[in-house]
Amino acid sequence: MPRTLEGQITMEKTPSYFVTREAPARISAMSKDTKLLVVVRDPVTRAVSDYTQTLSKRPDIPSFESLAFRNRTAGLVDRAWSAIQIGLYAEHLERWLRHFPARQLLFVSGERLVRDPAGELGRVQDFLGLKRIISDKHFYFNQTKGFPCLKKAEGSGRPHCLGKTKGRPHPEIDGQVLRRLRDFYRPFNRKFYQMTGHDFGWDG
């Protein structure tokens, strides 16, 4: 990390930290005061999105259904598949709470970030002890992507949207498969809501 002056905040983004077993202890050893931001979304949608991303790079991979289940007939979900495993948020959070107090973690709702980016970023600014500068006027909704975009990126006169890997259409997945995955994740989601004190509304 670069040296940080008084009054400055250094930020770093690596999505895999949250699910990497060694990360909590290593980050705690580097700085016990680190504040951690984790963007989470419905684990079923997240798994399909993860698969879509892989499919775009390797079109020859097996179907989502065959990867998601160890035994499809018995409805046995393969929790060893990374696309499924990453969505077990309560299990990952347990490891982090061994090294950091809950007040140093903020879970940002991926769904709310799309619906109300300024509102969700307001929570982030408060958590980081920053003045609330970002508001609705900084965003516009891009119909093509289905995401909000920044009206003007820092140091540029042009709008900024998430890259082409974001907002890709998902493949059609059998409704029965999605229902089985919802049932599978439900207890993990409920535990996560309990641990964070926040109901993300993924079980509706």
Side-chain angles (χ1 to χ4, degrees), residues 6-51:
E6 194 65 48
Q8 282 186 323
I9 292 179
T10 301
M11 296 186 85
E12 198 265 357
K13 178 191 82 148
T14 302
S16 61
Y17 282 163
F18 186 56
V19 299
T20 303
R21 287 184 176 277
E22 304 79 16
R26 287 178 182 171
I27 293 172
S28 172
M30 181 196 76
S31 170
K32 281 193 181 326
D33 302 324
T34 300
K35 287 187 172 183
L36 304 146
L37 284 163
V38 187
V39 179
V40 288
R41 66 192 289 205
D42 177 338
V44 176
T45 314
R46 206 217 68 78
V48 176
S49 182
D50 191 313
Y51 175 78

mmCIF file of all heavy atoms in Angstrom, residues 6-51:
data_model
loop_
_atom_site.group_PDB
_atom_site.id
_atom_site.type_symbol
_atom_site.label_atom_id
_atom_site.label_comp_id
_atom_site.label_asym_id
_atom_site.label_seq_id
_atom_site.Cartn_x
_atom_site.Cartn_y
_atom_site.Cartn_z
ATOM 1 N N GLU A 6 -2.077 11.963 6.927
ATOM 2 C CA GLU A 6 -3.209 12.252 7.805
ATOM 3 C C GLU A 6 -4.334 12.863 6.958
ATOM 4 O O GLU A 6 -4.083 13.748 6.137
ATOM 5 C CB GLU A 6 -2.741 13.261 8.867
ATOM 6 C CG GLU A 6 -3.680 13.406 10.054
ATOM 7 C CD GLU A 6 -3.791 12.144 10.893
ATOM 8 O OE1 GLU A 6 -2.747 11.557 11.234
ATOM 9 O OE2 GLU A 6 -4.931 11.755 11.181
ATOM 10 N N GLY A 7 -5.549 12.383 7.133
ATOM 11 C CA GLY A 7 -6.678 12.949 6.380
ATOM 12 C C GLY A 7 -6.872 12.324 5.007
ATOM 13 O O GLY A 7 -7.802 12.685 4.297
ATOM 14 N N GLN A 8 -5.994 11.389 4.622
ATOM 15 C CA GLN A 8 -6.160 10.708 3.328
ATOM 16 C C GLN A 8 -6.692 9.292 3.560
ATOM 17 O O GLN A 8 -6.467 8.713 4.622
ATOM 18 C CB GLN A 8 -4.814 10.578 2.607
ATOM 19 C CG GLN A 8 -4.353 11.846 1.933
ATOM 20 C CD GLN A 8 -3.081 11.579 1.117
ATOM 21 O OE1 GLN A 8 -2.222 10.801 1.510
ATOM 22 N NE2 GLN A 8 -2.972 12.249 -0.008
ATOM 23 N N ILE A 9 -7.364 8.773 2.553
ATOM 24 C CA ILE A 9 -7.836 7.382 2.624
ATOM 25 C C ILE A 9 -7.238 6.650 1.428
ATOM 26 O O ILE A 9 -7.310 7.127 0.300
ATOM 27 C CB ILE A 9 -9.379 7.302 2.564
ATOM 28 C CG1 ILE A 9 -9.979 7.896 3.845
ATOM 29 C CG2 ILE A 9 -9.837 5.861 2.393
ATOM 30 C CD1 ILE A 9 -11.493 7.887 3.866
ATOM 31 N N THR A 10 -6.618 5.506 1.691
ATOM 32 C CA THR A 10 -6.098 4.674 0.608
ATOM 33 C C THR A 10 -7.080 3.538 0.394
ATOM 34 O O THR A 10 -7.477 2.868 1.348
ATOM 35 C CB THR A 10 -4.712 4.098 0.986
ATOM 36 O OG1 THR A 10 -3.825 5.182 1.242
ATOM 37 C CG2 THR A 10 -4.143 3.235 -0.128
ATOM 38 N N MET A 11 -7.487 3.339 -0.866
ATOM 39 C CA MET A 11 -8.439 2.272 -1.170
ATOM 40 C C MET A 11 -7.817 1.281 -2.142
ATOM 41 O O MET A 11 -6.988 1.660 -2.959
ATOM 42 C CB MET A 11 -9.721 2.857 -1.764
ATOM 43 C CG MET A 11 -10.450 3.746 -0.786
ATOM 44 S SD MET A 11 -12.028 4.312 -1.409
ATOM 45 C CE MET A 11 -13.062 2.952 -0.953
ATOM 46 N N GLU A 12 -8.248 0.039 -2.029
ATOM 47 C CA GLU A 12 -7.754 -1.010 -2.910
ATOM 48 C C GLU A 12 -8.903 -1.977 -3.144
ATOM 49 O O GLU A 12 -9.694 -2.221 -2.233
ATOM 50 C CB GLU A 12 -6.575 -1.702 -2.222
ATOM 51 C CG GLU A 12 -5.696 -2.505 -3.148
ATOM 52 C CD GLU A 12 -6.063 -3.969 -3.193
ATOM 53 O OE1 GLU A 12 -6.972 -4.387 -2.467
ATOM 54 O OE2 GLU A 12 -5.462 -4.679 -3.993
ATOM 55 N N LYS A 13 -9.037 -2.491 -4.370
ATOM 56 C CA LYS A 13 -10.188 -3.330 -4.716
ATOM 57 C C LYS A 13 -9.726 -4.677 -5.258
ATOM 58 O O LYS A 13 -9.025 -4.727 -6.268
ATOM 59 C CB LYS A 13 -11.039 -2.601 -5.768
ATOM 60 C CG LYS A 13 -12.237 -3.390 -6.235
ATOM 61 C CD LYS A 13 -12.878 -2.743 -7.442
ATOM 62 C CE LYS A 13 -12.147 -3.124 -8.695
ATOM 63 N NZ LYS A 13 -12.915 -3.232 -9.904
ATOM 64 N N THR A 14 -10.078 -5.730 -4.541
ATOM 65 C CA THR A 14 -9.821 -7.084 -5.016
ATOM 66 C C THR A 14 -11.009 -7.955 -4.600
ATOM 67 O O THR A 14 -11.134 -8.303 -3.429
ATOM 68 C CB THR A 14 -8.500 -7.657 -4.424
ATOM 69 O OG1 THR A 14 -7.431 -6.801 -4.785
ATOM 70 C CG2 THR A 14 -8.222 -9.055 -4.936
ATOM 71 N N PRO A 15 -11.919 -8.281 -5.522
ATOM 72 C CA PRO A 15 -13.117 -9.044 -5.150
ATOM 73 C C PRO A 15 -12.826 -10.378 -4.442
ATOM 74 O O PRO A 15 -13.577 -10.798 -3.573
ATOM 75 C CB PRO A 15 -13.828 -9.275 -6.485
ATOM 76 C CG PRO A 15 -13.329 -8.186 -7.367
ATOM 77 C CD PRO A 15 -11.916 -7.917 -6.938
ATOM 78 N N SER A 16 -11.717 -11.029 -4.806
ATOM 79 C CA SER A 16 -11.463 -12.364 -4.247
ATOM 80 C C SER A 16 -11.049 -12.345 -2.775
ATOM 81 O O SER A 16 -11.058 -13.390 -2.125
ATOM 82 C CB SER A 16 -10.389 -13.081 -5.071
ATOM 83 O OG SER A 16 -9.183 -12.352 -5.015
ATOM 84 N N TYR A 17 -10.705 -11.189 -2.213
ATOM 85 C CA TYR A 17 -10.308 -11.154 -0.796
ATOM 86 C C TYR A 17 -11.367 -11.779 0.102
ATOM 87 O O TYR A 17 -11.058 -12.522 1.017
ATOM 88 C CB TYR A 17 -10.082 -9.713 -0.315
ATOM 89 C CG TYR A 17 -8.782 -9.074 -0.722
ATOM 90 C CD1 TYR A 17 -8.627 -7.692 -0.649
ATOM 91 C CD2 TYR A 17 -7.703 -9.832 -1.166
ATOM 92 C CE1 TYR A 17 -7.441 -7.075 -1.018
ATOM 93 C CE2 TYR A 17 -6.518 -9.233 -1.545
ATOM 94 C CZ TYR A 17 -6.380 -7.844 -1.466
ATOM 95 O OH TYR A 17 -5.213 -7.257 -1.827
ATOM 96 N N PHE A 18 -12.627 -11.425 -0.118
ATOM 97 C CA PHE A 18 -13.695 -11.851 0.785
ATOM 98 C C PHE A 18 -13.776 -13.372 0.903
ATOM 99 O O PHE A 18 -14.116 -13.900 1.958
ATOM 100 C CB PHE A 18 -15.045 -11.264 0.338
ATOM 101 C CG PHE A 18 -16.177 -11.542 1.301
ATOM 102 C CD1 PHE A 18 -16.086 -11.165 2.637
ATOM 103 C CD2 PHE A 18 -17.328 -12.186 0.869
ATOM 104 C CE1 PHE A 18 -17.128 -11.435 3.534
ATOM 105 C CE2 PHE A 18 -18.373 -12.445 1.762
ATOM 106 C CZ PHE A 18 -18.266 -12.073 3.089
ATOM 107 N N VAL A 19 -13.449 -14.084 -0.174
ATOM 108 C CA VAL A 19 -13.584 -15.546 -0.175
ATOM 109 C C VAL A 19 -12.251 -16.274 -0.030
ATOM 110 O O VAL A 19 -12.207 -17.497 -0.047
ATOM 111 C CB VAL A 19 -14.336 -16.031 -1.443
ATOM 112 C CG1 VAL A 19 -15.734 -15.456 -1.499
ATOM 113 C CG2 VAL A 19 -13.555 -15.694 -2.713
ATOM 114 N N THR A 20 -11.152 -15.536 0.121
ATOM 115 C CA THR A 20 -9.831 -16.151 0.257
ATOM 116 C C THR A 20 -9.541 -16.407 1.734
ATOM 117 O O THR A 20 -9.526 -15.470 2.535
ATOM 118 C CB THR A 20 -8.737 -15.243 -0.359
ATOM 119 O OG1 THR A 20 -9.075 -15.010 -1.729
ATOM 120 C CG2 THR A 20 -7.366 -15.871 -0.274
ATOM 121 N N ARG A 21 -9.326 -17.665 2.096
ATOM 122 C CA ARG A 21 -9.171 -18.058 3.498
ATOM 123 C C ARG A 21 -8.089 -17.287 4.241
ATOM 124 O O ARG A 21 -8.257 -16.938 5.410
ATOM 125 C CB ARG A 21 -8.862 -19.561 3.605
ATOM 126 C CG ARG A 21 -10.069 -20.399 3.305
ATOM 127 C CD ARG A 21 -9.841 -21.887 3.493
ATOM 128 N NE ARG A 21 -11.099 -22.593 3.259
ATOM 129 C CZ ARG A 21 -12.043 -22.748 4.165
ATOM 130 N NH1 ARG A 21 -11.883 -22.256 5.367
ATOM 131 N NH2 ARG A 21 -13.153 -23.403 3.884
ATOM 132 N N GLU A 22 -6.965 -17.032 3.568
ATOM 133 C CA GLU A 22 -5.828 -16.388 4.252
ATOM 134 C C GLU A 22 -5.976 -14.874 4.380
ATOM 135 O O GLU A 22 -5.263 -14.245 5.157
ATOM 136 C CB GLU A 22 -4.507 -16.664 3.491
ATOM 137 C CG GLU A 22 -4.167 -18.122 3.265
ATOM 138 C CD GLU A 22 -4.945 -18.760 2.107
ATOM 139 O OE1 GLU A 22 -5.529 -18.028 1.276
ATOM 140 O OE2 GLU A 22 -4.971 -20.002 2.056
ATOM 141 N N ALA A 23 -6.889 -14.288 3.616
ATOM 142 C CA ALA A 23 -6.964 -12.819 3.542
ATOM 143 C C ALA A 23 -7.262 -12.126 4.878
ATOM 144 O O ALA A 23 -6.594 -11.148 5.208
ATOM 145 C CB ALA A 23 -7.963 -12.391 2.472
ATOM 146 N N PRO A 24 -8.242 -12.574 5.686
ATOM 147 C CA PRO A 24 -8.535 -11.835 6.917
ATOM 148 C C PRO A 24 -7.322 -11.675 7.840
ATOM 149 O O PRO A 24 -7.041 -10.569 8.316
ATOM 150 C CB PRO A 24 -9.638 -12.666 7.582
ATOM 151 C CG PRO A 24 -10.266 -13.442 6.477
ATOM 152 C CD PRO A 24 -9.178 -13.700 5.493
ATOM 153 N N ALA A 25 -6.599 -12.769 8.068
ATOM 154 C CA ALA A 25 -5.430 -12.717 8.964
ATOM 155 C C ALA A 25 -4.350 -11.821 8.385
ATOM 156 O O ALA A 25 -3.736 -11.017 9.104
ATOM 157 C CB ALA A 25 -4.888 -14.126 9.202
ATOM 158 N N ARG A 26 -4.118 -11.915 7.091
ATOM 159 C CA ARG A 26 -3.063 -11.104 6.457
ATOM 160 C C ARG A 26 -3.393 -9.612 6.514
ATOM 161 O O ARG A 26 -2.527 -8.787 6.794
ATOM 162 C CB ARG A 26 -2.874 -11.529 4.994
ATOM 163 C CG ARG A 26 -2.178 -12.863 4.857
ATOM 164 C CD ARG A 26 -2.060 -13.250 3.399
ATOM 165 N NE ARG A 26 -1.444 -14.553 3.255
ATOM 166 C CZ ARG A 26 -1.382 -15.210 2.105
ATOM 167 N NH1 ARG A 26 -1.921 -14.687 1.013
ATOM 168 N NH2 ARG A 26 -0.806 -16.381 2.031
ATOM 169 N N ILE A 27 -4.650 -9.269 6.225
ATOM 170 C CA ILE A 27 -5.035 -7.854 6.221
ATOM 171 C C ILE A 27 -5.010 -7.311 7.646
ATOM 172 O O ILE A 27 -4.547 -6.195 7.890
ATOM 173 C CB ILE A 27 -6.410 -7.654 5.534
ATOM 174 C CG1 ILE A 27 -6.266 -7.978 4.038
ATOM 175 C CG2 ILE A 27 -6.930 -6.233 5.728
ATOM 176 C CD1 ILE A 27 -7.552 -8.024 3.256
ATOM 177 N N SER A 28 -5.446 -8.131 8.596
ATOM 178 C CA SER A 28 -5.426 -7.724 10.004
ATOM 179 C C SER A 28 -3.985 -7.491 10.464
ATOM 180 O O SER A 28 -3.700 -6.539 11.197
ATOM 181 C CB SER A 28 -6.097 -8.797 10.851
ATOM 182 O OG SER A 28 -5.937 -8.518 12.207
ATOM 183 N N ALA A 29 -3.060 -8.350 10.033
ATOM 184 C CA ALA A 29 -1.640 -8.202 10.413
ATOM 185 C C ALA A 29 -1.061 -6.924 9.813
ATOM 186 O O ALA A 29 -0.207 -6.268 10.423
ATOM 187 C CB ALA A 29 -0.852 -9.417 9.935
ATOM 188 N N MET A 30 -1.543 -6.537 8.629
ATOM 189 C CA MET A 30 -1.059 -5.306 7.984
ATOM 190 C C MET A 30 -1.619 -4.078 8.691
ATOM 191 O O MET A 30 -0.902 -3.125 8.963
ATOM 192 C CB MET A 30 -1.480 -5.306 6.512
ATOM 193 C CG MET A 30 -0.998 -4.090 5.749
ATOM 194 S SD MET A 30 -1.865 -3.892 4.181
ATOM 195 C CE MET A 30 -3.440 -3.265 4.708
ATOM 196 N N SER A 31 -2.929 -4.090 8.981
ATOM 197 C CA SER A 31 -3.552 -2.969 9.689
ATOM 198 C C SER A 31 -4.878 -3.406 10.294
ATOM 199 O O SER A 31 -5.823 -3.711 9.572
ATOM 200 C CB SER A 31 -3.782 -1.800 8.730
ATOM 201 O OG SER A 31 -4.585 -0.826 9.363
ATOM 202 N N LYS A 32 -4.925 -3.422 11.625
ATOM 203 C CA LYS A 32 -6.145 -3.826 12.344
ATOM 204 C C LYS A 32 -7.277 -2.814 12.157
ATOM 205 O O LYS A 32 -8.431 -3.123 12.388
ATOM 206 C CB LYS A 32 -5.839 -3.963 13.837
ATOM 207 C CG LYS A 32 -5.136 -5.260 14.185
ATOM 208 C CD LYS A 32 -5.158 -5.461 15.680
ATOM 209 C CE LYS A 32 -4.465 -6.715 16.145
ATOM 210 N NZ LYS A 32 -4.533 -7.852 15.294
ATOM 211 N N ASP A 33 -6.928 -1.576 11.748
ATOM 212 C CA ASP A 33 -7.941 -0.514 11.613
ATOM 213 C C ASP A 33 -8.587 -0.467 10.231
ATOM 214 O O ASP A 33 -9.422 0.389 9.969
ATOM 215 C CB ASP A 33 -7.309 0.862 11.881
ATOM 216 C CG ASP A 33 -6.685 0.928 13.260
ATOM 217 O OD1 ASP A 33 -7.265 0.311 14.178
ATOM 218 O OD2 ASP A 33 -5.639 1.564 13.421
ATOM 219 N N THR A 34 -8.185 -1.367 9.330
ATOM 220 C CA THR A 34 -8.720 -1.368 7.964
ATOM 221 C C THR A 34 -10.244 -1.474 7.990
ATOM 222 O O THR A 34 -10.803 -2.260 8.743
ATOM 223 C CB THR A 34 -8.132 -2.558 7.173
ATOM 224 O OG1 THR A 34 -6.714 -2.414 7.133
ATOM 225 C CG2 THR A 34 -8.663 -2.615 5.751
ATOM 226 N N LYS A 35 -10.874 -0.650 7.163
ATOM 227 C CA LYS A 35 -12.325 -0.761 6.982
ATOM 228 C C LYS A 35 -12.558 -1.563 5.704
ATOM 229 O O LYS A 35 -11.864 -1.354 4.710
ATOM 230 C CB LYS A 35 -12.960 0.626 6.868
ATOM 231 C CG LYS A 35 -13.006 1.350 8.205
ATOM 232 C CD LYS A 35 -13.793 2.638 8.091
ATOM 233 C CE LYS A 35 -13.997 3.252 9.458
ATOM 234 N NZ LYS A 35 -14.824 4.461 9.385
ATOM 235 N N LEU A 36 -13.527 -2.443 5.765
ATOM 236 C CA LEU A 36 -13.751 -3.361 4.653
ATOM 237 C C LEU A 36 -15.138 -3.160 4.051
ATOM 238 O O LEU A 36 -16.137 -3.156 4.763
ATOM 239 C CB LEU A 36 -13.605 -4.804 5.149
ATOM 240 C CG LEU A 36 -12.235 -5.071 5.809
ATOM 241 C CD1 LEU A 36 -12.356 -6.046 6.943
ATOM 242 C CD2 LEU A 36 -11.237 -5.546 4.784
ATOM 243 N N LEU A 37 -15.154 -2.980 2.739
ATOM 244 C CA LEU A 37 -16.404 -2.807 1.987
ATOM 245 C C LEU A 37 -16.608 -4.042 1.126
ATOM 246 O O LEU A 37 -15.694 -4.431 0.397
ATOM 247 C CB LEU A 37 -16.276 -1.614 1.039
ATOM 248 C CG LEU A 37 -16.368 -0.215 1.620
ATOM 249 C CD1 LEU A 37 -15.797 0.782 0.628
ATOM 250 C CD2 LEU A 37 -17.808 0.128 1.919
ATOM 251 N N VAL A 38 -17.785 -4.645 1.223
ATOM 252 C CA VAL A 38 -18.062 -5.828 0.407
ATOM 253 C C VAL A 38 -19.389 -5.618 -0.316
ATOM 254 O O VAL A 38 -20.413 -5.384 0.321
ATOM 255 C CB VAL A 38 -18.144 -7.116 1.274
ATOM 256 C CG1 VAL A 38 -18.260 -8.349 0.394
ATOM 257 C CG2 VAL A 38 -16.941 -7.232 2.205
ATOM 258 N N VAL A 39 -19.351 -5.676 -1.651
ATOM 259 C CA VAL A 39 -20.588 -5.567 -2.434
ATOM 260 C C VAL A 39 -21.128 -6.988 -2.606
ATOM 261 O O VAL A 39 -20.421 -7.871 -3.099
ATOM 262 C CB VAL A 39 -20.344 -4.924 -3.820
ATOM 263 C CG1 VAL A 39 -21.648 -4.842 -4.613
ATOM 264 C CG2 VAL A 39 -19.724 -3.538 -3.671
ATOM 265 N N VAL A 40 -22.368 -7.201 -2.144
ATOM 266 C CA VAL A 40 -22.993 -8.527 -2.254
ATOM 267 C C VAL A 40 -24.283 -8.415 -3.051
ATOM 268 O O VAL A 40 -24.917 -7.368 -3.070
ATOM 269 C CB VAL A 40 -23.282 -9.139 -0.857
ATOM 270 C CG1 VAL A 40 -22.005 -9.576 -0.171
ATOM 271 C CG2 VAL A 40 -24.075 -8.180 0.024
ATOM 272 N N ARG A 41 -24.637 -9.495 -3.719
ATOM 273 C CA ARG A 41 -25.906 -9.527 -4.441
ATOM 274 C C ARG A 41 -26.533 -10.897 -4.271
ATOM 275 O O ARG A 41 -25.882 -11.830 -3.785
ATOM 276 C CB ARG A 41 -25.700 -9.180 -5.916
ATOM 277 C CG ARG A 41 -24.884 -10.203 -6.679
ATOM 278 C CD ARG A 41 -24.455 -9.721 -8.037
ATOM 279 N NE ARG A 41 -25.566 -9.640 -8.975
ATOM 280 C CZ ARG A 41 -25.435 -9.715 -10.299
ATOM 281 N NH1 ARG A 41 -24.233 -9.843 -10.839
ATOM 282 N NH2 ARG A 41 -26.465 -9.631 -11.089
ATOM 283 N N ASP A 42 -27.785 -11.030 -4.672
ATOM 284 C CA ASP A 42 -28.494 -12.305 -4.573
ATOM 285 C C ASP A 42 -27.564 -13.425 -5.061
ATOM 286 O O ASP A 42 -27.096 -13.399 -6.200
ATOM 287 C CB ASP A 42 -29.747 -12.217 -5.449
ATOM 288 C CG ASP A 42 -30.540 -13.505 -5.501
ATOM 289 O OD1 ASP A 42 -29.985 -14.585 -5.239
ATOM 290 O OD2 ASP A 42 -31.734 -13.430 -5.814
ATOM 291 N N PRO A 43 -27.256 -14.414 -4.186
ATOM 292 C CA PRO A 43 -26.274 -15.439 -4.573
ATOM 293 C C PRO A 43 -26.677 -16.276 -5.784
ATOM 294 O O PRO A 43 -25.810 -16.771 -6.502
ATOM 295 C CB PRO A 43 -26.125 -16.310 -3.322
ATOM 296 C CG PRO A 43 -27.217 -15.934 -2.414
ATOM 297 C CD PRO A 43 -27.718 -14.589 -2.805
ATOM 298 N N VAL A 44 -27.996 -16.413 -6.033
ATOM 299 C CA VAL A 44 -28.431 -17.180 -7.210
ATOM 300 C C VAL A 44 -28.104 -16.385 -8.476
ATOM 301 O O VAL A 44 -27.484 -16.902 -9.408
ATOM 302 C CB VAL A 44 -29.942 -17.529 -7.146
ATOM 303 C CG1 VAL A 44 -30.382 -18.239 -8.421
ATOM 304 C CG2 VAL A 44 -30.246 -18.393 -5.921
ATOM 305 N N THR A 45 -28.471 -15.104 -8.491
ATOM 306 C CA THR A 45 -28.161 -14.237 -9.639
ATOM 307 C C THR A 45 -26.650 -14.142 -9.819
ATOM 308 O O THR A 45 -26.141 -14.143 -10.935
ATOM 309 C CB THR A 45 -28.726 -12.812 -9.410
ATOM 310 O OG1 THR A 45 -30.054 -12.921 -8.937
ATOM 311 C CG2 THR A 45 -28.703 -11.987 -10.685
ATOM 312 N N ARG A 46 -25.932 -14.084 -8.680
ATOM 313 C CA ARG A 46 -24.467 -13.973 -8.715
ATOM 314 C C ARG A 46 -23.845 -15.200 -9.377
ATOM 315 O O ARG A 46 -22.930 -15.085 -10.198
ATOM 316 C CB ARG A 46 -23.935 -13.808 -7.278
ATOM 317 C CG ARG A 46 -22.593 -13.082 -7.190
ATOM 318 C CD ARG A 46 -21.700 -13.656 -6.110
ATOM 319 N NE ARG A 46 -21.276 -14.990 -6.486
ATOM 320 C CZ ARG A 46 -20.319 -15.253 -7.364
ATOM 321 N NH1 ARG A 46 -19.634 -14.281 -7.939
ATOM 322 N NH2 ARG A 46 -20.007 -16.489 -7.685
ATOM 323 N N ALA A 47 -24.385 -16.403 -9.037
ATOM 324 C CA ALA A 47 -23.863 -17.649 -9.619
ATOM 325 C C ALA A 47 -24.090 -17.683 -11.133
ATOM 326 O O ALA A 47 -23.197 -18.062 -11.894
ATOM 327 C CB ALA A 47 -24.517 -18.857 -8.951
ATOM 328 N N VAL A 48 -25.285 -17.256 -11.566
ATOM 329 C CA VAL A 48 -25.594 -17.231 -13.006
ATOM 330 C C VAL A 48 -24.690 -16.219 -13.716
ATOM 331 O O VAL A 48 -24.170 -16.482 -14.805
ATOM 332 C CB VAL A 48 -27.093 -16.921 -13.262
ATOM 333 C CG1 VAL A 48 -27.383 -16.810 -14.755
ATOM 334 C CG2 VAL A 48 -27.986 -17.980 -12.625
ATOM 335 N N SER A 49 -24.457 -15.086 -13.073
ATOM 336 C CA SER A 49 -23.596 -14.051 -13.633
ATOM 337 C C SER A 49 -22.152 -14.548 -13.758
ATOM 338 O O SER A 49 -21.476 -14.317 -14.764
ATOM 339 C CB SER A 49 -23.656 -12.817 -12.728
ATOM 340 O OG SER A 49 -22.870 -11.791 -13.252
ATOM 341 N N ASP A 50 -21.700 -15.257 -12.737
ATOM 342 C CA ASP A 50 -20.353 -15.843 -12.719
ATOM 343 C C ASP A 50 -20.212 -16.813 -13.894
ATOM 344 O O ASP A 50 -19.225 -16.782 -14.644
ATOM 345 C CB ASP A 50 -20.172 -16.572 -11.382
ATOM 346 C CG ASP A 50 -18.745 -17.009 -11.101
ATOM 347 O OD1 ASP A 50 -18.113 -17.587 -11.997
ATOM 348 O OD2 ASP A 50 -18.278 -16.792 -9.966
ATOM 349 N N TYR A 51 -21.233 -17.657 -14.072
ATOM 350 C CA TYR A 51 -21.243 -18.628 -15.178
ATOM 351 C C TYR A 51 -21.224 -17.902 -16.525
ATOM 352 O O TYR A 51 -20.492 -18.286 -17.440
ATOM 353 C CB TYR A 51 -22.481 -19.524 -15.058
ATOM 354 C CG TYR A 51 -22.634 -20.480 -16.216
ATOM 355 C CD1 TYR A 51 -21.864 -21.641 -16.294
ATOM 356 C CD2 TYR A 51 -23.543 -20.227 -17.245
ATOM 357 C CE1 TYR A 51 -21.995 -22.515 -17.363
ATOM 358 C CE2 TYR A 51 -23.678 -21.107 -18.315
ATOM 359 C CZ TYR A 51 -22.902 -22.243 -18.370
ATOM 360 O OH TYR A 51 -23.012 -23.106 -19.435
#
